[in-house]
Amino acid sequence: MSQRHLLALFNNFEDAEAAIYELRAADIKGFNFDDLTLKSPIEHHEVESVLGQRSANVQWFSLGGSLLGGLLGFFLISGSQANFYAQMKGGKPIVPFPPNFVLTFEMCVLGGVFITILGFLICAGLPAKRSPLYNAKVSEDQIGVLVKADESAMAKIKGVFLNHQALEIQEEVSK
Amino acid sequence: MIDSGLDRRDFLKVLGWGGAAAALSGCGNTSIEDGKETVVSYVEAADYAIPGIGVYYNSTCAQCDAGCSINGRVREGRVLKLEGNPASAINRGKTCGLGQAGVQHHYNPDRVREPMLRKGDKFETITWDKAYALIAEKLNGAKGEEVAFLSGGVSGHLKVLLGNYLASIGCKNHYVYEALAPAVARAANKKAYGIEMPRFNINKAKVVLSFGADFLGSWVSPVHFSQQYAQFRKGVDGQRGVLIQVESKMTLTGANADRWVPVRPGTEGILALGIINELGMASGDIAAAVKGYDRIRVSKETGVPPGQIDKIAALLKLRSPSLVLAGSAAEGYAHGSQNAAAINLLNHVLGNVGKTIEASSSVTFTQMAPAKGNTAALKSLNDGLAAGKYKVLFSYAANPVFTAPGALKFKDNLAKADFKVSFAHYLDETALQADLVLPLDSALEDWNTQVPEYMAEGAQINIQQPLMEKLHANTRGMGDILLALVKQRRAEEYKSFDDYYAYLRAAMLQNKGALGGGGADDDTFWNDTLTKGIVKLAGSSGALSGKASVVGLTLPAPSAADAQYPLHLIPGVTASLRDGRHANQPWLQESPDPLTTIVWDSWVEIHPKKAAELGIKEGDILEVTSRSGSIKAQAYLFPGIHPDAISVPLGRGHDALGRYAKGYGANPFQILDAVFDQETGELAMHETRVKVSKTGQCVIVVKDEGSAGGKQMGRKIAVSMSTDEVDLSKEV
Amino acid sequence: MSVNNLLENWAQFRHFHPVDDKPHDPYKWAMSIDLDACTGCNACSVACYAENNLPVVGKEKYQHGHVMHWIRIERYWDESLGVAGGGDFPEQGAQFLPMMCQQCEAAPCETVCPAAATNHTADGLNSQIYNRCVGSRYCSANCPFKVRYFNWYDYPTTDNVWPAEMNQQLNPDVTVRSKGVMEKCTFCVQRLHAAKGTAKNEGRLVHDGDVQTACQQACPTSAITFGNLVDPESKVHKQWQSQQVELDKDAQVKDQKEGGSGLRGYRIFEELRPYPSVMYLERVRESAV
Amino acid sequence: MKDIREDIAWAQINQDVLKSMESPRKLYWVILFFAFAAFCVGVGCEVYQYQTGMGVANKNNPHAWGLYISTFIFWIGMSHSGTLLSAILHLMHADWRKPIFRFAEALTTFSLMTAGLFVMVHLGRLWQFYYSVPYPDERGLWPNFQSPLLWDAMAIFTYLSSSILFLYIGMIPDLAICRDHLHEGWRKKLYTLLSLGWEGTDRQWRNFRVTYLTIACFLIPLAVSVHSIVAADFAMSQQPGWHVTSFPAYFVAGALYSGCSAIITLFIILRYVFKFEEYMTLPILKKTVRLTFAIAMIWTYLNAVEFASVWYSHDQASKDVLIQKVVGPFAPFWWGMIFCGSVVPLMLAFKRFQTNVPVLFVVSLLLNLGMWLERWMIVAPTFSHGYYPWTWDHDQWPGFVQWGMVFASFGWFTMLFMGFCKVFPSVSMYEVKEMVYHRKLHLKNSETAEQGAH
């Protein structure tokens, strides 16, 4: 059965939250709650209590990135010091620790930041194609709730939205 | 390479032909880049010219008269560096900074390159033939006594040839002028020891008491004395030599003294007599003569504390043999000869004569012995010029327009000579006044023999030979010029000599038996001589004949204060610039004066106390005025000078010579008064009295010394210890 | 490869020098300068100009501190001179000190160079690689002796530095440095290379006296001794040994002796631990006058 | 007074900020023009110096570094403000930072770029700068990792790239706003590209928050390490006056100090030029001023610690340098630094000055001058008065080329910064919205609580 998108815009977060609560409680056939997306101009982390804990895994990228950066840093530097002519400088060992630790730290941060950004892009699915329904108001002052559901469920969902003072409801043009 | 079918020979040929092709298509020399470089094919290079390998030739340094033997490094046909020749007893492989800069004389961009004839205010280039013809013409119009030849010190075959030339033109007026020669010392030594230049064995002395003799810097044979000094410091029998320097302005030698004694200018002789009196070792008329010089009087007159006189006398008594030297600082007065006599007397009293002062060897060929320069010659020449006696004047290796005291008005008098010929390396102040300027080869491209005035051990004749091809096509060696000139008169006698080289070679071969080449064939001997660069001779060793005598020794009382010109002017002689003839060698300009560390400029040394009195600070531009003129220079506060004196170094202040000399500094020769030593007639260089005034300008003194001055700030950089703390016997 | 190399030779890469490292073998170039013999005449400095193609910068640039003398003669007065209670005259003369790169075994300049243009060579020199130098001047900033000289201008193309003819004097064995690089005394490394090459061809080591630095060769009083410190036959070795100056110490044992050791050898700024390769012998002054 | 009005409409926020990107006051163009002119002076100086040699800058032996390195440290120091405001205060939930952190981050980025320029300008052989970049060249040569300059290069590269990423990531929601609300044209295309298709979905926001927080956590130690390493350029050397243990802390404090005072300056300029009175409110300025005052006192304390530790150290050479600073030729500048850095900030302690814009503008400029002098007084006296008395040089002063370059660096920075503020939103719209939202919530909660109490 074909699925369609529906976007409802709300004036404030409370209305949107209430609408989502109701949708979750309603258990509409042909609508999976996970297919609901909240679009907002600012972050509302309260939404988690409605949507449930959806995972954010960026921090694991950070850990991996900084470890990778640090290891790469240390071995790149020490290895190059050992392979390069091996001429002494200032009577210090060919592979001196203090400088290498400083650089290891910098590489650690560098790796951490870069891989974190990579992780962010992956986890947040960016860069993303524009979703089928979008309204510029979402980046201004309105809250959007985007759902994907079977055609059969559309009417019910719309009803729920309208109950909660949805300002506008956009529907995907049927294919 | 192989693929392209080009083998090595072809490859070289290409290079060679490349040059040749360019030569064929162009004209004259093979040149690339508009003649900037010349392509030289190594395919046909001389055997000794191996690319990348230096070859060494022995020759003689011509930067001063000491006669150090040098060893020039030549690569790809260019002389690169001069080292000392270890075989020479004079310098034993060592050189001074002045000697090192000899290459800059050779490669100097401001050398005269073409013969030039005056046309109004300008010079125009002429050919050598024309120049010679012109000289012949002018000489034909002048009698022998109307010709004068001014030269610096000359010796060896050049002197012989010059003498012969002068004889051929009937000229008896050969003036040998050196602005800074030890001429008073020669006379005084002759009187005291019977020899003008005896051998001074600094290395054998336990104490050296030097009255203004800067033997480490510029006096007589500094490189030789420096080596002796090093041995002297290591000591005889493990006892380190003690150097006491008495002078009014600290010289380089004074800076190295164990005790530097600032003395009132001109009272050196009084101090010497005072020391003799204090020693109590003299007897007879000497004792009688010095009796009046008790320590209190001497201290009052010389400004040296009585305790200091005691200590010096005690040390001299305790440590024997010692050596007392009289230098130009003590001799530069109207009573300079008297000072020198008093000082030399000290050697007799101390019994040094025969121990640390020995007879020197001299070359038996008197014709080759050095013609010694002095300043009395300048006075005679100047008088002659002033009287309009000379129609033709030659000048060679002297720059009197720069070095004559201003009071003599030499430049004005010079103009009275009708035709002036200058043999010149540079267009110096004297050459600029000449009518005909003839360009000379540098010492590194010319042939010569040289006999040093101061013989270190046995007698020796030094060979000067070209280290490379001539840099400029149209310069000539002085010998070649003289040969050409003498041929104008005595063509028959000299016809077998094509050039000076031939003359020199023939001359040396003629006497090879005496020169130590008895058994060898000509070529072997000649090549051997050139290889060594030195001919050591048996020589004759004159005996010391002088006796201690006080006859005629009268020292004037210290000069009275001069209200109008309260300060003594001491012309400073620096080791690198001397009388200023080499001032266009940039290494010397940039080599800091050892004591003040000033470069590229002149300065007025003034004692800090005196400066405070006059409100002078470092960098103030001072006007130094004497009766004969005035100069301006920056002030430098210098503790090593008597407060009654100031010192301005000689050698700078050129208004000609070249790009590195012109316009840098001031020339104190200009303000020297014409006062002469009463006995020898030598110029009394230290007799000029001056006053200083601030001009109101102030500059930053360009020197190496930093803002801390000569202080170490307690950082233990240059450390010193006294003899009672050190045990030199353990040293290697 | 590189990690393998790192692990296999780990101990070798962790040696400190010179304190827990083996001395250079077979060469360790070192110098000793007798300040009692040095007269301050400047011949060494001019000889260095001649040998090493040092530019003459001229009066104006000299005033701005752009002089390039690799070896300079410093002239010090007694500390008491001219201060209250001290004398008015330098009665003990002046004190001269030739100062050039001290070729430190643990050189402060080496560690700080970002481009690794200055290194410690196997024969104990502090080398300067001109064409690696980027001109950060950190080495000069960190040199306690301030003996590194920077090419503030492009001297080869500057007027009257090496005008026509004068440039023919340039030593082909030594690079003419262009603007923006640091330079300093090399202990005449070109002469050392030549001597080592000759010795190698003859299947031997360089003997004492085979090679002299330009300053040493010129020095009229032979105040400068130069040679191979690990060669027991060399004069420089004997001097260091007799003066009880040890290369790898930051304070010499002899200096702990009460009443002094009677020895003259010392190194400047030893306490900063650069381990200089130049030993100076103190100037001596007679106590009896 | 309130940091920000709670009743400000979100659409109004968008509108106000977007307007700043299109029609600033005329003064904006005047500033941009003069900045460009100043920059051109520097380009001229650099061309001259590059062609002729470093000597024209009037540096010498021993004055090897001069103003370039001093000004380099100055700009590096200034960069710390952004990190302070966006990362540290973010972690501390100080929400008053929200209207001003964006430009502070831009300040970080562009002052780092300016600093980087000085590294280049300083090099004797700029054309060979890549020799100090860590890659093996054709002979297998690497740069010298022992050199603090290399740590510097590495730290600055890390800091600059991280700062740019941090700035960019934090700007994505705003870029999406720009994309949505600006007219068609190249800018719209640019924002479309840069906003990466941001739509403000819950997934995006969730990951965004974690990322932002994580990078903030990385940035704080990084910022500290950057200025510690700059301090290490000096402290790791052996020179008197530089070899000081407290230098890293001292440098970091100085960095935060100069960053804060620069923020005050730019706050005042942006507020006027872009008509941001509604967002960059005086209460926020007041908070910044108080923060600056606190840091000024920390800096003063660390300064005193440095002097005291030198004074009591028995290290005569270092002591001499200190004495030299106080009474030597550098004394006017040194006392100028003390006055501007430690005395002038005392004015900030007075309430009536804390919101007086003209006074604050002048004071912040003086503080910046003081901080610039501080860097010069760290670098130059040690060169002029180092270990080796023979090479002491009190007569050498920076030449016009050096001054020209320093002057131009301000032009270059202003050019970049003002350019950025015009092209990108210099006030974070979404964060201001958050601020307004949370304030409103808070207000509502407290009203409810009050009613409950009744």
Side-chain angles (χ1 to χ4, degrees), chain B residues 298-642:
Chain B
V298 170
S299 171
K300 210 176 119 201
E301 292 187 351
T302 60
V304 179
Q308 186 71 71
I309 301 173
D310 295 347
K311 277 187 181 170
I312 294 172
L315 192 75
L316 286 170
K317 221 172 185 175
L318 192 69
R319 299 192 189 170
S320 184
S322 55
L323 174 64
V324 186
L325 297 171
S328 40
E331 292 158 353
Y333 296 93
H335 59 285
S337 289
Q338 300 292 330
N339 270 351
I343 293 162
N344 284 347
L345 191 59
L346 202 45
N347 272 324
H348 281 289
V349 172
L350 289 165
N352 296 334
V353 183
K355 289 179 187 159
T356 53
I357 298 176
E358 286 183 300
S360 55
S361 300
S362 58
V363 174
T364 41
F365 316 108
T366 48
Q367 221 188 340
M368 288 176 67
K372 296 164 187 169
N374 54 49
T375 47
L378 178 71
K379 183 165 189 304
S380 331
L381 172 66
N382 190 50
D383 291 347
L385 285 169
K389 269 164 65 180
Y390 304 123
K391 280 188 179 165
V392 179
L393 175 74
F394 293 97
S395 74
Y396 163 67
N399 185 7
V401 175
F402 179 77
T403 56
L408 290 182
K409 308 233 172 302
F410 184 85
K411 193 174 164 185
D412 299 341
N413 294 331
L414 183 66
K416 295 180 185 167
D418 294 337
F419 188 66
K420 300 166 288 279
V421 183
S422 180
F423 306 97
H425 291 109
Y426 307 98
L427 270 185
D428 58 21
E429 287 82 351
T430 307
L432 274 183
Q433 302 302 317
D435 299 293
L436 180 64
V437 179
L438 299 177
L440 293 175
D441 285 347
S442 81
L444 302 185
E445 51 195 17
D446 198 5
W447 286 97
N448 227 336
T449 48
Q450 194 249 9
V451 179
E453 180 184 0
Y454 184 88
M455 290 294 186
E457 276 170 16
Q460 65 184 58
I461 297 175
N462 297 328
I463 306 290
Q464 180 187 317
Q465 61 174 318
L467 300 183
M468 65 180 279
E469 291 285 319
K470 273 201 220 182
L471 215 49
H472 308 295
N474 254 342
T475 58
R476 294 270 198 280
M478 188 63 193
D480 285 316
I481 298 173
L482 284 174
L483 193 67
L485 289 175
V486 78
K487 277 180 180 173
Q488 289 177 346
R489 298 286 176 135
R490 296 177 178 172
E492 203 51 33
E493 288 171 43
Y494 290 90
K495 70 171 184 203
S496 56
F497 310 119
D498 285 341
D499 53 15
Y500 184 57
Y501 168 73
Y503 170 83
L504 203 63
R505 187 172 189 269
M508 293 293 281
L509 293 178
Q510 194 183 27
N511 205 7
K512 70 178 178 188
L515 301 176
D521 68 79
D522 284 1
D523 283 344
T524 312
F525 166 71
W526 181 240
N527 287 336
D528 193 42
T529 305
L530 295 188
T531 309
K532 285 182 182 151
I534 306 164
V535 181
K536 294 197 174 168
L537 299 171
S540 69
S541 191
L544 292 179
S545 61
K547 274 191 299 208
S549 161
V550 287
V551 178
L553 178 61
T554 48
L555 286 172
S559 49
D562 185 329
Q564 203 189 345
Y565 297 99
L567 296 167
H568 291 261
L569 172 67
I570 300 180
V573 182
T574 63
S576 53
L577 287 179
R578 310 276 178 106
D579 64 358
R581 69 180 68 185
H582 297 304
N584 202 42
Q585 294 164 15
W587 289 341
L588 300 179
Q589 286 281 5
E590 193 142 314
S591 154
D593 171 62
L595 288 160
T596 60
T597 75
I598 293 172
V599 293
W600 287 102
D601 206 348
S602 298
W603 63 93
V604 179
E605 280 168 28
I606 185 163
H607 194 273
K609 272 193 148 177
K610 194 76 185 174
E613 202 179 291
L614 299 174
I616 291 167
K617 60 180 194 314
E618 184 179 299
D620 279 340
I621 300 288
L622 302 181
E623 182 164 26
V624 180
T625 313
S626 77
R627 289 185 174 81
S628 308
S630 75
I631 50 171
K632 283 179 192 167
Q634 57 191 354
Y636 181 78
L637 272 51
F638 184 62
I641 189 161
H642 195 281

Side-chain angles (χ1 to χ4, degrees), chain D residues 73-84 104-113 115 156 159 163 223 226-227 255-256 258-259 262 413:
Chain D
I73 311 170
F74 173 76
W75 286 111
I76 292 280
M78 201 171 261
S79 70
H80 282 54
S81 55
T83 316
L84 173 74
E105 271 174 29
L107 170 64
T108 297
T109 304
F110 296 121
S111 59
L112 277 172
M113 286 183 181
I156 291 169
Y159 194 32
S163 294
V226 167
H227 226 56
L256 294 176
S258 66
F413 169 80

Side-chain angles (χ1 to χ4, degrees), chain A residues 39-40 129-131 133-134 138, chain D residues 179 197-201 204:
Chain A
K39 295 186 179 183
S40 54
K129 272 201 222 155
R130 303 296 293 274
S131 58
L133 287 175
Y134 181 70
V138 165
Chain D
R179 175 198 64 199
W198 176 273
E199 285 182 354
T201 65
Q204 287 169 343

Side-chain angles (χ1 to χ4, degrees), chain B residues 175-378:
Chain B
Y175 297 104
V176 187
Y177 165 55
E178 286 288 343
L180 301 175
V184 176
R186 286 179 199 135
N189 290 344
K190 180 92 183 162
K191 256 168 89 179
Y193 316 125
I195 294 181
E196 283 192 348
M197 228 6 118
R199 195 191 304 161
F200 300 110
N201 297 321
I202 294 170
N203 52 343
K204 290 183 187 162
K206 287 182 177 163
V207 183
V208 169
L209 174 60
S210 157
F211 288 86
D214 185 16
F215 59 84
L216 296 175
S218 56
W219 190 67
V220 182
S221 194
V223 177
H224 176 67
F225 291 140
S226 292
Q227 290 170 67
Q228 289 202 333
Y229 167 81
Q231 294 171 10
F232 157 80
R233 284 306 200 194
K234 293 262 180 301
V236 185
D237 317 327
Q239 186 169 45
R240 179 179 170 278
V242 183
L243 172 62
I244 302 163
Q245 182 88 357
V246 179
E247 59 196 2
S248 323
K249 172 230 170 334
M250 184 180 270
T251 57
L252 186 61
T253 312
N256 285 289
D258 289 280
R259 182 59 50 160
W260 180 73
V261 183
V263 66
R264 181 164 299 144
T267 61
E268 291 85 352
I270 297 174
L271 183 62
L273 295 186
I275 293 171
I276 296 177
N277 188 30
E278 191 66 24
L279 281 169
M281 291 161 76
S283 57
D285 53 350
I286 298 178
V290 301
K291 208 175 143 203
Y293 292 92
D294 63 90
R295 55 205 286 274
I296 302 303
R297 172 189 162 191
V298 170
S299 171
K300 210 176 119 201
E301 292 187 351
T302 60
V304 179
Q308 186 71 71
I309 301 173
D310 295 347
K311 277 187 181 170
I312 294 172
L315 192 75
L316 286 170
K317 221 172 185 175
L318 192 69
R319 299 192 189 170
S320 184
S322 55
L323 174 64
V324 186
L325 297 171
S328 40
E331 292 158 353
Y333 296 93
H335 59 285
S337 289
Q338 300 292 330
N339 270 351
I343 293 162
N344 284 347
L345 191 59
L346 202 45
N347 272 324
H348 281 289
V349 172
L350 289 165
N352 296 334
V353 183
K355 289 179 187 159
T356 53
I357 298 176
E358 286 183 300
S360 55
S361 300
S362 58
V363 174
T364 41
F365 316 108
T366 48
Q367 221 188 340
M368 288 176 67
K372 296 164 187 169
N374 54 49
T375 47
L378 178 71

Side-chain angles (χ1 to χ4, degrees), chain D residues 130-146:
Chain D
Y130 54 85
Y131 283 171
S132 38
V133 175
Y135 76 102
D137 77 349
E138 69 273 23
R139 294 180 178 208
L141 283 172
W142 288 79
N144 176 18
F145 294 107
Q146 290 185 36

